[in-house]
Amino acid sequence: MIIDTLDNIGRYAGLGKHYETAVRFLKEADLSALPLGKTEIDGENVFANLADNFLDRDEMAWEAHQRYADIQLILSGEEGFGWAAQADYGLLTGDFQVCHPQGEIVPFTLHAGQFVIYLPGEPHSPGNPVKGPAFCRKMVIKVLHNI
């Protein structure tokens, strides 16, 4: 897991060719002008989903992915997240896998202009309210992770 600000996104282009594509998109695109929903960047290698989310759940829901990394960028508002080093993994549906964290859970909050990168296999819990129900605009860029 990596946490940083959009000003430093260029540091992560070296993670691989698809990350380089994602970084270039984030540096060059007018993020405020993008429509809600899916934006194709490089076919199924790199694509983005922009959403306005109402965060109101009581319990953290956990997930992981096998092929794609997530770059989750907060554009407005704030969102609570969780990360765990280990988990029990459930059924894999496409690239989405429900999981149950094991051991220590690390909760944190991201604000507008901050992002987190979750690599494949990393248990994470996005979409959590920080101080009660709230709205958040977030972009999730899915990056095919080739090792």
Side-chain angles (χ1 to χ4, degrees), residues 14-27:
L15 291 173
K17 69 179 183 175
H18 299 315
Y19 291 92
E20 182 178 345
T21 301
V23 165
R24 186 172 47 254
F25 171 79
L26 287 169
K27 290 175 95 172

Side-chain angles (χ1 to χ4, degrees), residues 19-104:
Y19 291 92
E20 182 178 345
T21 301
V23 165
R24 186 172 47 254
F25 171 79
L26 287 169
K27 290 175 95 172
E28 295 174 358
D30 181 357
L31 302 180
S32 65
L34 293 174
L36 295 176
K38 186 174 180 177
T39 297
E40 186 176 303
I41 300 167
D42 180 22
E44 292 301 306
N45 295 321
V46 183
F47 56 93
N49 289 301
L50 179 63
D52 286 335
N53 298 317
F54 182 68
L55 310 174
D56 68 344
R57 66 172 153 214
D58 293 329
E59 294 183 24
M60 297 174 88
W62 288 84
E63 64 187 59
H65 309 285
Q66 295 301 306
R67 298 179 57 228
Y68 286 90
D70 281 357
I71 301 174
Q72 299 199 19
L73 169 65
I74 305 304
L75 297 174
S76 66
E78 63 184 9
E79 183 173 323
F81 291 83
W83 174 85
Q86 298 178 356
D88 287 333
Y89 297 93
L91 182 65
L92 181 65
T93 305
D95 193 52
F96 181 85
Q97 190 168 29
V98 173
C99 61
H100 304 283
Q102 301 298 311
E104 183 179 5

